[in-house]
Amino acid sequence: MSAEVTLLGVRHHGPGSARAVAAALERLRPDAVLVEGPPEADPIIALAAEKDMVPPVALLAHAVDDPARAAFWPFAAFSPEWVAIRYGLDAGVPVRFIDLPAAYSLADRPGGPDEPGARPDERAGDPIGLLAEAAGCDDPERWWEDVIEHRSPGTDPLAPFAAVAEAMAALREGAPAGGPARRDDLREAYMRRQIRAAQRAGHRRIAVVCGAFHVPALASPPTVAQDRAVLAGLPKKVRTDITWVPWTHRRLSQRSGYGAGIVSPGWYHHLFTTAGDPLPRWLTRAAELLRAEDHPVSSAHVIEAVRLARTLAVLRGRPLAGLTETLDAVRAVLCDGSDVALALVRDRLVTGDALGEVPDGAPAVPLQRDLARLQRSLRLKPAAQPRELDLDLREETDAARSRLLHRLRLLGVDWGVPSRSAVTSTGTFRESWRLCWRPEFAVRIVEAAQWGTTVEAAAVGRAVGAARAAVELAELTALVETCLLAGLPGALPAVMRVLADRAALDTDVAHLAGALPALVRALRYGDVRGTDRGALDQVAAGLAERICVGLPSGCTGLDAAGAEAMRGHLDEVHGAVGLLEPAGGLADRWAATLRELARREPVGGLATGVPGLLRGRAVRLLLDDDRLDSQEAGRRMGLVLSPANAPADAAGWIEGFLAGGGALLLHDPRLLGLLDAWLTGVPAEAFTDVLPLLRRTFSALEAGVRTTVGGRVAAGPLDAEPAATPGTGPELDPARAEAAVPVVALLLGLPGCPVHPGGPARIPRQAEGRDT
């Protein structure tokens, strides 16, 4: 007696197809179920029946020798293949995958994850699009929803599959042979081989669930010899491993670049899992979402939206309200016509962030198991929905979480990304992260397994390897900072040796200046994280000393682009020197270096001295540190703005001097007068050249400063003291000041305020000048 083979052609992800497959399998009662997928997964297919397996999930196969060469086979709750797998496992009948093995699929594929089991078939382009066009519909998704996804199985559950098979046969007849369809030929030949093997095994009722495009090729098979000839062209196998990994609805969407993606995985999941009429419940969920985002939505809105969606479906001749009608109703009724609110519904409900789960018994590399253990112990559950996480590094649990996230970033797993916290804090004990788990991290974890079997060991190995491969000195200092943040004392000695050797040989002052800030930042973590600062102090001090020696000559003769880059280094080094220990006179040597920069004016041409941008910046830094008084700063500005200097150099000096803020122009009218006199005296032929620099300089000032400066210039000559605005003149109004004294005393907690009635409402002399 010959075996009965029933081919169930499906779309890879669709609730209507999934329901049709379930009904067909109930009618057929097969004794074997064959599913499109990699045969290497047969030993782990039984895990799909475990209660801890929650779709969406995916099969992940990767080459053992090259983990970056990987492929995924995704399954959602509404995937027909998943329904077939669960039916076979629940019914106790054999379930087998019959597609081309991953060992062949990965053999001729370059590195990078892919989803080979669910690509659109290349020979026919977009089969659904072609069928929709033949039916006179310009929207393939809407046509497929009406024909398949919104329809329940009828009295003959096999009829839809016969109709789809007939349509696909017509499409294949008109498609060109050969060329890019070579891979489909190999896959179909292998599927036929697997079907014959099931027949030889004695199965009498075989159900085959595969992509609808392949059904005609499986229904009319060529001879065994012909298939053998086709399969002779298979590439050489590669050794592969395969496992189950969590997946997300977002990765099932076409927007993620998934070849066989669908427009609305969240909507499809709702259609498949909701009993009865899905429309009211989905619109209720949309209302809940909008209300949570402070949109005024009531139950009356939901009732009216349901009516509108159903009315639109009738007007458009659709059997049920589809996604188009539902979103139109959401926009018109729930969102008051706002596309911004509608985008939120599309993102959260139409696409969705559902993240699947796999049981602990699924095969995994040791690194993955260690990561799962840490996630449980630190109560950091992966989630596809982005969320903010604030950590207090003084707490042991938060410190351990921080170390884990930094170690994963070192391994290329950016589960957490540093972010700006809503809580304002300048201390080093607080960190803020934005967490979002993505399925492709499974591949990166497998890749990182080459560095170690635990997260800490892998991070240490990766850090040492990165240090040896580093090219720039700044890369090494950034790596040192990362090692401290990640708590990797095992990696620091090796990284510091490479850093010390590289720093001793590097003579480029720009490289040294770019490397110092990260190293000094790392020193700040010692108190909170309990790290050893000895080696870091020595290297940081050595770098700072070499910068002080080499900076003046390194800044000489720079062009505009080089000067702009060096100004950034100058600011960063200045901040870093301020954070280093004051012992050893480093601050004094740095001030002497800034004075040397400020005095190196060009002689006979701009290329013979330090650019004005850097000289002006050096003067401003000295002024801000009280190492230069305002009188001397004014004298230097007057010299630079004299007619003897080139206007372009003077404009650069002004840009550097005002980069720290322009409020000093308000406090020192003499500086503003010098600037105004120079600006009005720039020759017409040079004004066009310096105008871009001036516009850039003044556009960077605070809006209030620009307004006040403009008002003072417009008020008249600047050689006199301004007296127009009350409260800005040099004279103090005693009566107004006396009225504010009790409030200031209360803020400072001084005697004389209502809570300190023991003294007069006067600020004592030792408190005068305090910055309140």
Side-chain angles (χ1 to χ4, degrees):
M1 182 179 178
S2 62
E4 177 186 352
V5 179
T6 304
L7 303 175
L8 304 178
V10 299
R11 189 185 189 185
H12 287 293
H13 309 291
S17 297
R19 284 192 294 265
V21 165
L25 293 176
E26 287 292 338
R27 166 71 67 86
L28 294 171
R29 298 288 181 177
D31 59 2
V33 177
L34 308 181
V35 179
E36 182 180 324
E40 291 95 336
D42 285 348
I44 61 173
I45 199 170
L47 292 174
E50 295 195 9
K51 63 178 182 179
D52 294 333
M53 179 74 83
V54 180
V57 293
L59 288 168
L60 164 62
H62 65 87
V64 174
D65 298 330
D66 184 10
R69 190 181 299 180
F72 295 101
W73 285 261
F75 301 92
F78 51 85
S79 298
E81 295 91 340
W82 181 260
V83 171
I85 291 171
R86 289 303 308 266
Y87 171 86
L89 294 176
D90 294 342
V93 300
V95 182
R96 299 288 182 267
F97 287 115
I98 62 170
D99 203 352
L100 194 67
Y104 294 121
S105 301
L106 299 177
D108 57 354
R109 178 177 297 115
D114 193 13
E115 295 90 3
R119 297 180 183 175
D121 300 286
E122 296 172 335
R123 188 189 326 228
D126 178 13
I128 295 178
L130 294 175
L131 292 175
E133 182 181 356
C137 183
D138 59 354
D139 188 340
E141 290 294 327
R142 186 178 63 188
W143 176 83
W144 184 259
E145 280 188 354
D146 290 344
V147 174
I148 299 295
E149 306 304 345
H150 287 172
R151 294 188 180 274
S152 300
T155 56
D156 183 3
L158 299 179
F161 297 104
V164 170
E166 182 179 356
M168 290 299 167
L171 287 178
R172 291 180 67 112
E173 288 176 1
R182 171 64 179 165
R183 186 171 180 275
D184 283 332
D185 294 337
L186 291 171
R187 293 176 61 197
E188 289 162 357
Y190 197 89
M191 290 181 195
R192 291 190 290 264
R193 171 188 285 184
Q194 295 296 87
I195 293 172
R196 295 186 185 106
Q199 291 172 323
R200 290 194 300 270
H203 298 295
R204 291 293 173 256
R205 297 185 309 279
I206 302 173
V208 180
V209 181
C210 63
F213 184 79
H214 302 298
V215 169
L218 303 183
S220 303
T223 64
V224 174
Q226 289 174 316
D227 280 345
R228 189 179 296 118
V230 171
L231 294 174
L234 285 171
K236 184 180 179 180
K237 280 186 176 183
V238 296
R239 196 157 58 95
T240 60
D241 280 342
I242 195 166
T243 187
W244 290 100
V245 295
W247 203 249
T248 65
H249 279 169
R250 192 169 298 279
R251 282 301 302 270
L252 283 172
S253 69
Q254 291 174 341
R255 289 187 302 170
S256 69
Y258 174 35
I262 53 179
V263 175
S264 50
W267 167 257
Y268 274 6
H269 179 82
H270 179 79
L271 292 180
F272 184 71
T273 57
T274 302
D277 188 354
L279 183 59
R281 298 184 184 182
W282 195 88
L283 287 171
T284 300
R285 292 176 57 202
E288 291 175 353
L289 172 63
L290 293 172
R291 285 174 63 88
E293 297 294 330
D294 295 329
H295 291 272
V297 180
S298 67
S299 56
H301 286 84
V302 176
I303 295 172
E304 185 58 33
V306 171
R307 291 174 179 171
L308 179 57
R310 289 172 175 168
T311 302
L312 289 174
V314 173
L315 291 175
R316 295 170 182 175
R318 305 193 65 181
L320 292 173
L323 181 61
T324 303
E325 289 72 30
T326 303
L327 291 180
D328 286 345
V330 169
R331 179 193 284 111
V333 181
L334 303 187
C335 301
D336 291 329
S338 170
D339 286 332
V340 176
L342 181 66
L344 178 67
V345 175
R346 285 184 180 275
D347 183 70
R348 300 280 186 85
L349 296 184
V350 177
T351 301
D353 287 305
L355 177 65
E357 299 178 10
V358 298
D360 294 336
V365 295
L367 178 61
Q368 173 65 57
R369 297 194 182 280
D370 184 60
L371 174 58
R373 177 187 62 80
L374 292 171
Q375 288 171 334
R376 288 192 299 269
S377 63
L378 297 177
R379 299 186 297 280
L380 279 177
K381 185 177 181 180
Q385 178 69 32
R387 68 183 182 97
E388 302 296 328
L389 178 67
D390 289 326
L391 300 178
D392 185 343
L393 302 182
R394 296 168 296 185
E395 302 292 335
E396 180 56 35
T397 299
D398 281 358
R401 290 172 174 172
S402 173
R403 290 192 294 270
L404 173 62
L405 294 174
H406 281 293
R407 289 170 181 176
L408 291 176
R409 282 177 59 81
L410 188 58
L411 295 174
V413 181
D414 294 330
W415 176 23
V417 177
S419 65
R420 183 180 297 275
S421 173
V423 180
T424 302
S425 173
T426 58
T428 59
F429 62 85
R430 181 177 296 279
E431 278 186 350
S432 297
W433 296 83
R434 184 174 178 82
L435 304 184
C436 181
W437 186 265
R438 300 199 301 270
E440 57 267 28
F441 290 157
V443 176
R444 298 182 189 176
I445 291 171
V446 173
E447 291 181 279
Q450 62 181 305
W451 301 105
T453 57
T454 65
V455 174
E456 181 178 2
V460 168
R462 180 69 182 89
V464 173
R468 293 169 179 168
V471 177
E472 300 289 343
L473 190 61
E475 296 179 48
L476 287 168
T477 55
L479 186 60
V480 169
E481 182 180 12
T482 301
C483 288
L484 289 174
L485 292 170
L488 300 176
L492 270 178
V495 177
M496 291 300 299
R497 282 196 300 270
V498 177
L499 173 61
D501 294 343
R502 188 70 56 82
L505 298 175
D506 201 327
T507 58
D508 191 327
V509 69
H511 291 171
L512 300 176
L516 180 63
L519 203 58
V520 173
R521 284 196 305 269
L523 286 169
R524 299 183 67 203
Y525 307 133
D527 295 336
V528 175
R529 298 175 185 271
T531 53
D532 182 12
R533 297 170 43 130
L536 293 178
D537 275 325
Q538 294 179 5
V539 176
L543 284 178
E545 293 286 355
R546 295 177 61 194
I547 291 171
C548 290
V549 172
L551 189 62
S553 59
C555 293
T556 302
L558 293 177
D559 59 11
E564 182 64 33
M566 188 60 75
R567 189 191 76 168
H569 291 318
L570 192 65
D571 287 339
E572 291 179 349
V573 171
H574 184 75
V577 170
L579 294 174
L580 287 173
E581 295 294 338
L586 177 60
D588 294 335
R589 286 192 292 277
W590 174 245
T593 301
L594 292 178
R595 290 193 183 93
E596 178 66 17
L597 279 180
R599 75 171 188 82
R600 288 201 176 192
E601 299 181 357
V603 178
L606 294 180
T608 61
V610 174
L613 176 68
L614 300 179
R615 300 198 324 272
R617 191 71 193 125
V619 171
R620 179 58 184 271
L621 294 176
L622 289 169
L623 180 64
D624 289 345
D625 281 356
D626 291 331
R627 293 181 179 271
L628 197 70
D629 58 31
S630 60
Q631 295 294 327
E632 177 63 16
R635 187 187 72 82
R636 290 175 181 267
M637 177 184 282
L639 293 174
V640 169
L641 300 183
S642 66
N645 283 340
D649 183 66
W653 197 98
I654 292 298
E655 181 182 5
F657 185 74
L658 295 181
L664 55 83
L665 294 177
L666 306 180
H667 300 304
D668 193 337
R670 190 167 62 91
L671 295 180
L672 182 57
L674 288 171
L675 180 59
D676 180 63
W678 170 79
L679 185 58
T680 56
V682 173
E685 61 274 11
F687 186 79
T688 304
D689 295 332
V690 302
L691 182 59
L693 285 175
L694 294 173
R695 293 190 63 178
R696 182 172 64 191
T697 300
F698 284 93
S699 65
L701 299 180
E702 303 88 337
V705 171
R706 291 201 305 268
T707 302
T708 307
V709 167
R712 289 190 177 179
V713 171
L718 295 172
D719 52 355
E721 296 292 337
T725 306
T728 61
E731 297 298 328
L732 179 68
D733 186 341
R736 297 177 65 193
E738 184 72 21
V741 168
V743 177
V744 175
L746 177 62
L747 292 174
L748 295 177
L750 299 175
C753 63
V755 295
H756 296 287
R762 300 282 185 180
I763 299 178
R765 182 174 299 275
Q766 63 268 24
E768 291 180 359
R770 276 190 187 176
D771 184 4
T772 58

